Amino acid sequence: MSEQIGPIAVLGAGTMGHGIAQCFASIGAAVRLYDVDLPRAEKGRAQIRAVLDKVVAKGKMAAERADGIVGLVNPTADVATAVTGARWVIEAAPEDMQLKVDLLGKVKAAAPADAILGSNTSSLSITELGARVGAADRVIGLHFFNPPPVMELLEIVRGVSTSAATIAAAESMAKAIGKTSILVNDAPGFATSRLGVILGCEAMRMLESGVAGVVDIDRAMELGYRHPMGPLKLTDLVGLDVRLAILDHLTREIGEQFRAPPILRRLVRAGHLGKKTGRGFYVWTPEGPRLPMAGE
Ligand code: CAA
């Protein structure tokens, strides 16, 4: 199956991109991991190495297998190198339509004419992306969840002109990498982000209005509803900037119920983007998340 799938190009080696690359390398597919400069692309591969080192240390994977997975990931800062001969291209660039259009425009010029162009966007229109790239039949939403190697769902988003063949290929690709897929029509925030951000948003409003503190709001959902993580911790994991971009988009497209709470905008302006920067609603230490100390 990996031979039918590979080689894959993953564009963007950040929080989601490197995890998506790991999903494919884990089934033996060759992955080109692109980012705007080589150090960023290499950092993505180093993050896969670090995750797998922990799995090996727990005795849950042989060191040779981890080496094999990492060895299948080739970092590059050149779009053409990444996509030449690729059957699948998955962009995991920041949540900005123009940036994604420009990137997939470059991809279209260098990738095979029948390559499937997937977008990991959390909320933006697949229909618009496909139309503006000029390859609407083979542009599709392939929405992964953080951390991609662990989360079971792949949300497949069908644009108005995405072809039946592209959808069928995406569904069988999902199976090949061990995911369960859902098929969703193109709508702002799809099925997942639209529901997910509203919970996070309400948690922030409750924090702002003094209903309870960060830990108690999270515990309410962890222990009362068995969510694996409370909504504020999850916002830290996803990235506060990512959630803000989704909320701004959904406010424009759907309405005021998605208006971002001031605390979110303030933390983003301060550069506190969550786990990836070491601080969001929590301070992230090697031992795990803790609350910021007074004056910190
Ligand atoms: N790669 C491979 N394995 C990983 C991993 C990674 N990146 N990260 C964690 N793991 C493995 C660990 O090795 C561990 O494996 P074992 O159980 O075999 O030892 C397992 O996953 C659980 O990890 P931990 O023990 O470290 O921690 P945990 O039990 O607290 O689970 C979690 C961590 C999986 C993140 C869990 O807390 C969880 O499911 N949280 C909710 C995540 C979620 O909701 N994600 C969706 C966010 S929304 C999104 O991403 C979409 C968007 O559009 C923004």
Side-chain angles (χ1 to χ4, degrees), residues 16 18-19 22 47-48 51-52 54-55 58 60 95 120-123 143-151 155 192-193 197 227-229 234 237-239 242-243 246 275:
M16 295 304 290
H18 78 263
Q22 186 183 327
Q47 283 174 303
I48 298 173
V51 164
L52 292 179
K54 282 191 201 152
V55 179
K58 282 193 216 164
K60 294 189 170 177
E95 204 66 349
N120 181 54
T121 178
S122 302
S123 63
H143 187 199
F144 289 79
F145 297 84
N146 191 6
V150 176
M151 302 302 284
E155 184 177 41
T192 52
S193 303
V197 295
H227 289 193
M229 274 180 165
L234 185 59
L237 179 75
V238 167
V242 174
R243 284 224 142 153
I246 297 171
K275 189 176 180 190

Coordinates of all heavy atoms in Angstrom, one line a residue, residues 16 18-19 22 47-48 51-52 54-55 58 60 95 120-123 143-151 155 192-193 197 227-229 234 237-239 242-243 246 275, ligand 1:
M16 N 1.4 20.4 12.9 CA 0.6 19.4 12.2 C 1.5 18.7 11.1 O 1.4 17.5 11.0 CB -0.6 20.0 11.6 CG -1.6 20.6 12.6 SD -2.1 19.3 13.8 CE -3.1 18.2 12.7
H18 N 4.7 18.0 10.7 CA 5.6 16.9 11.0 C 4.9 15.6 11.5 O 5.3 14.5 11.2 CB 6.7 17.3 11.9 CG 6.3 17.4 13.4 ND1 6.0 18.6 13.9 CD2 6.3 16.5 14.3 CE1 5.7 18.4 15.2 NE2 5.9 17.1 15.5
G19 N 3.7 15.9 12.1 CA 2.9 14.7 12.6 C 2.3 14.0 11.4 O 2.2 12.7 11.4
Q22 N 4.9 11.9 9.8 CA 5.1 10.7 10.6 C 4.0 9.6 10.3 O 4.4 8.4 10.2 CB 5.1 11.0 12.1 CG 5.5 9.8 13.0 CD 5.4 10.2 14.4 OE1 5.6 11.3 14.8 NE2 5.0 9.2 15.3
Q47 N 11.7 16.6 15.3 CA 10.5 16.5 16.2 C 10.0 15.0 16.1 O 9.6 14.5 17.1 CB 9.5 17.5 16.0 CG 9.9 18.9 16.6 CD 9.0 20.0 16.3 OE1 8.7 20.3 15.1 NE2 8.5 20.7 17.3
I48 N 10.0 14.5 14.9 CA 9.5 13.1 14.8 C 10.5 12.2 15.5 O 10.1 11.3 16.2 CB 9.5 12.7 13.3 CG1 8.4 13.6 12.5 CG2 9.1 11.2 13.1 CD1 8.4 13.4 11.0
V51 N 9.8 12.3 19.3 CA 8.6 11.6 19.7 C 8.9 10.1 19.7 O 8.6 9.4 20.6 CB 7.5 11.9 18.7 CG1 6.4 10.9 18.9 CG2 6.9 13.3 19.0
L52 N 9.6 9.6 18.6 CA 9.8 8.2 18.5 C 10.9 7.7 19.5 O 10.8 6.6 20.0 CB 10.3 7.8 17.0 CG 9.1 8.0 16.0 CD1 9.7 7.7 14.6 CD2 7.9 7.2 16.3
K54 N 11.0 8.6 22.5 CA 10.3 8.4 23.7 C 9.5 7.1 23.6 O 9.5 6.3 24.6 CB 9.3 9.5 24.0 CG 9.9 10.8 24.5 CD 8.8 11.7 25.0 CE 9.3 13.1 25.0 NZ 8.3 14.2 24.8
V55 N 9.0 6.8 22.4 CA 8.2 5.5 22.2 C 9.2 4.3 22.4 O 8.9 3.3 23.0 CB 7.5 5.5 20.9 CG1 6.8 4.2 20.6 CG2 6.6 6.7 20.8
K58 N 10.2 3.7 26.0 CA 9.1 3.0 26.7 C 9.1 1.5 26.4 O 8.2 0.8 26.9 CB 7.7 3.6 26.4 CG 7.4 4.9 27.1 CD 5.9 5.2 26.9 CE 5.6 6.7 26.8 NZ 4.3 6.9 26.2
K60 N 8.1 0.4 23.4 CA 7.0 0.1 22.6 C 7.3 0.1 21.1 O 6.4 -0.1 20.3 CB 5.9 1.1 22.8 CG 5.3 1.0 24.2 CD 4.1 1.9 24.5 CE 3.5 1.5 25.8 NZ 2.3 2.3 26.2
E95 N -3.0 29.2 8.6 CA -4.4 29.3 8.2 C -4.7 30.6 7.5 O -5.3 31.5 8.0 CB -5.3 29.1 9.5 CG -6.7 28.7 9.3 CD -6.8 27.2 8.8 OE1 -5.8 26.6 8.3 OE2 -7.9 26.7 8.8
N120 N -4.8 20.6 4.8 CA -5.1 20.3 6.2 C -5.8 21.5 6.9 O -5.8 21.6 8.1 CB -3.8 20.0 6.9 CG -4.0 19.6 8.4 OD1 -4.8 18.8 8.7 ND2 -3.3 20.3 9.3
T121 N -6.3 22.4 6.1 CA -7.0 23.6 6.7 C -8.0 23.1 7.7 O -8.7 22.1 7.5 CB -7.7 24.5 5.7 OG1 -8.3 25.5 6.4 CG2 -8.7 23.8 4.8
S122 N -8.2 23.9 8.8 CA -9.1 23.6 9.9 C -10.5 24.2 9.6 O -11.4 23.9 10.3 CB -8.7 24.1 11.2 OG -7.4 23.6 11.5
S123 N -10.5 25.2 8.7 CA -11.8 25.9 8.6 C -12.0 26.5 7.2 O -13.2 26.9 6.9 CB -11.9 27.0 9.6 OG -10.8 27.9 9.4
H143 N -8.2 16.8 6.8 CA -8.1 17.5 8.1 C -7.7 16.5 9.2 O -8.4 15.6 9.5 CB -9.4 18.2 8.5 CG -9.3 19.1 9.7 ND1 -10.4 19.4 10.4 CD2 -8.3 19.6 10.3 CE1 -10.1 20.2 11.4 NE2 -8.7 20.3 11.4
F144 N -6.4 16.6 9.6 CA -5.8 15.7 10.7 C -6.0 16.4 12.0 O -6.2 17.6 12.1 CB -4.4 15.5 10.4 CG -4.1 14.6 9.2 CD1 -4.1 15.1 7.9 CD2 -3.7 13.3 9.4 CE1 -3.9 14.3 6.8 CE2 -3.4 12.4 8.3 CZ -3.5 12.9 7.0
F145 N -5.8 15.7 13.1 CA -6.0 16.2 14.4 C -4.7 16.0 15.2 O -4.0 15.0 15.0 CB -7.2 15.5 15.1 CG -8.4 15.9 14.3 CD1 -8.8 15.2 13.1 CD2 -9.1 17.0 14.6 CE1 -9.8 15.6 12.3 CE2 -10.2 17.5 13.8 CZ -10.5 16.8 12.6
N146 N -4.5 16.9 16.1 CA -3.2 16.9 16.9 C -3.3 16.0 18.1 O -4.2 16.2 18.9 CB -3.0 18.4 17.3 CG -1.6 18.7 17.8 OD1 -0.8 17.8 17.8 ND2 -1.4 19.9 18.3
P147 N -2.4 15.1 18.3 CA -1.2 14.8 17.5 C -1.6 13.8 16.4 O -2.2 12.7 16.7 CB -0.2 14.2 18.5 CG -1.1 13.8 19.7 CD -2.4 14.5 19.7
P148 N -1.3 14.1 15.1 CA -1.7 13.3 14.0 C -1.4 11.8 14.1 O -2.3 11.0 13.8 CB -1.0 13.9 12.8 CG -0.8 15.4 13.2 CD -0.5 15.3 14.7
P149 N -0.3 11.4 14.6 CA 0.0 9.9 14.7 C -0.9 9.2 15.7 O -1.1 8.0 15.6 CB 1.5 9.8 15.1 CG 2.0 11.2 14.9 CD 0.9 12.1 15.1
V150 N -1.5 9.9 16.6 CA -2.3 9.3 17.7 C -3.8 9.4 17.4 O -4.6 8.5 17.7 CB -2.0 10.0 19.0 CG1 -2.9 9.4 20.1 CG2 -0.5 9.8 19.4
M151 N -4.3 10.5 16.8 CA -5.7 10.7 16.7 C -6.3 9.9 15.5 O -5.7 9.9 14.4 CB -6.0 12.2 16.5 CG -5.4 13.1 17.6 SD -6.1 12.7 19.3 CE -7.7 13.4 19.2
E155 N -10.8 13.9 8.8 CA -12.0 14.6 8.3 C -11.7 14.9 6.8 O -10.9 15.8 6.5 CB -12.3 15.8 9.1 CG -13.6 16.5 8.7 CD -13.9 17.8 9.6 OE1 -13.0 18.5 9.9 OE2 -15.1 17.9 9.9
T192 N -15.8 19.4 12.6 CA -15.0 19.3 13.8 C -14.7 20.7 14.4 O -15.0 21.0 15.6 CB -13.7 18.6 13.5 OG1 -13.1 19.2 12.4 CG2 -13.9 17.1 13.2
S193 N -14.0 21.5 13.6 CA -13.6 22.8 14.2 C -14.8 23.7 14.7 O -14.7 24.3 15.7 CB -12.8 23.6 13.2 OG -11.7 22.9 12.7
V197 N -14.2 24.6 18.5 CA -13.8 26.0 18.9 C -14.9 26.6 19.8 O -14.6 27.5 20.6 CB -13.4 26.9 17.8 CG1 -12.2 26.5 17.0 CG2 -14.6 27.2 16.8
H227 N -13.5 14.2 28.7 CA -12.7 14.6 27.6 C -11.2 14.4 28.0 O -10.9 14.6 29.1 CB -12.9 16.1 27.4 CG -14.2 16.5 26.8 ND1 -14.6 17.7 26.3 CD2 -15.4 15.7 26.6 CE1 -15.8 17.7 25.8 NE2 -16.3 16.5 26.0
P228 N -10.4 13.9 27.0 CA -9.0 13.6 27.4 C -8.3 14.9 27.9 O -7.3 14.7 28.7 CB -8.4 13.1 26.2 CG -9.4 13.3 25.1 CD -10.7 13.6 25.7
M229 N -8.7 16.0 27.5 CA -8.1 17.3 27.9 C -9.2 18.3 28.0 O -10.1 18.3 27.2 CB -7.2 17.8 26.8 CG -5.8 17.3 26.8 SD -5.0 18.1 25.3 CE -3.3 17.7 25.8
L234 N -6.5 22.1 25.7 CA -6.5 21.7 24.3 C -6.3 22.9 23.4 O -5.6 22.8 22.4 CB -7.9 21.1 24.0 CG -8.1 20.6 22.6 CD1 -7.1 19.5 22.3 CD2 -9.5 20.1 22.4
L237 N -2.7 23.1 23.2 CA -2.1 22.1 22.4 C -2.3 22.5 20.9 O -1.3 22.4 20.1 CB -2.8 20.7 22.6 CG -2.3 19.6 21.8 CD1 -0.9 19.1 22.3 CD2 -3.3 18.4 21.8
V238 N -3.4 22.9 20.5 CA -3.7 23.3 19.1 C -2.9 24.5 18.7 O -2.5 24.6 17.6 CB -5.3 23.5 19.0 CG1 -5.6 24.2 17.6 CG2 -6.0 22.2 19.1
G239 N -2.8 25.5 19.6 CA -2.1 26.7 19.3 C -3.2 27.9 19.3 O -4.2 27.8 18.7
V242 N -3.8 29.5 16.0 CA -4.6 28.7 15.1 C -6.1 28.9 15.5 O -6.9 29.1 14.6 CB -4.2 27.2 15.2 CG1 -5.1 26.4 14.4 CG2 -2.7 27.1 14.8
R243 N -6.4 28.8 16.8 CA -7.8 28.9 17.2 C -8.3 30.3 16.9 O -9.4 30.5 16.5 CB -7.9 28.6 18.7 CG -7.8 27.1 18.9 CD -8.9 26.7 19.9 NE -9.4 25.4 19.5 CZ -10.0 24.5 20.3 NH1 -10.0 24.8 21.6 NH2 -10.5 23.4 19.9
I246 N -9.2 30.6 13.2 CA -10.4 29.9 12.9 C -11.6 30.7 13.4 O -12.6 30.9 12.7 CB -10.4 28.5 13.6 CG1 -9.3 27.6 13.1 CG2 -11.8 27.8 13.5 CD1 -9.1 26.3 13.9
K275 N 1.4 25.4 23.7 CA 2.5 24.5 24.0 C 3.7 24.7 23.1 O 4.9 24.6 23.6 CB 2.0 23.0 23.7 CG 2.9 22.0 24.1 CD 2.3 20.6 23.9 CE 3.4 19.5 24.4 NZ 2.9 18.2 24.0
Ligands
CAA1 N1 3.5 10.5 18.0 C1 3.3 9.2 18.4 N2 2.8 8.8 19.6 C2 2.5 9.8 20.4 C3 2.6 11.2 20.1 C4 3.1 11.5 18.8 N3 3.3 12.8 18.4 N4 2.1 11.9 21.1 C5 1.7 11.1 22.1 N5 1.9 9.8 21.6 C6 1.6 8.6 22.3 C7 2.4 8.4 23.6 O1 3.6 7.7 23.3 C8 1.4 7.5 24.3 O2 1.5 6.1 23.9 P1 1.3 4.9 24.9 O3 -0.1 5.0 25.5 O4 1.4 3.7 24.0 O5 2.4 5.0 25.9 C9 0.0 8.0 24.0 O6 0.2 8.7 22.7 C10 -0.6 8.9 25.0 O7 0.3 10.0 25.2 P2 0.8 10.4 26.7 O8 0.9 9.3 27.6 O9 2.0 11.3 26.5 O10 -0.4 11.4 27.1 P3 -1.9 11.3 27.3 O11 -2.4 9.9 27.6 O12 -2.3 12.4 28.1 O13 -2.5 11.6 25.8 C11 -3.1 13.0 24.1 C12 -2.1 12.7 25.1 C13 -3.2 11.9 23.0 C14 -2.7 14.3 23.4 C15 -4.5 13.1 24.8 O14 -4.4 14.0 25.9 C16 -5.6 13.6 23.9 O15 -6.2 12.8 23.2 N6 -5.9 14.9 23.9 C17 -7.0 15.5 23.1 C18 -6.4 15.8 21.7 C19 -7.4 16.4 20.8 O16 -8.5 16.7 21.1 N7 -6.9 16.8 19.6 C20 -7.7 17.5 18.6 C21 -7.3 18.9 18.6 S1 -8.2 19.8 17.4 C22 -7.2 19.7 16.1 O17 -6.1 19.2 16.1 C23 -7.8 20.1 14.8 C24 -7.7 21.5 14.5 O18 -8.2 21.8 13.4 C25 -7.0 22.5 15.2

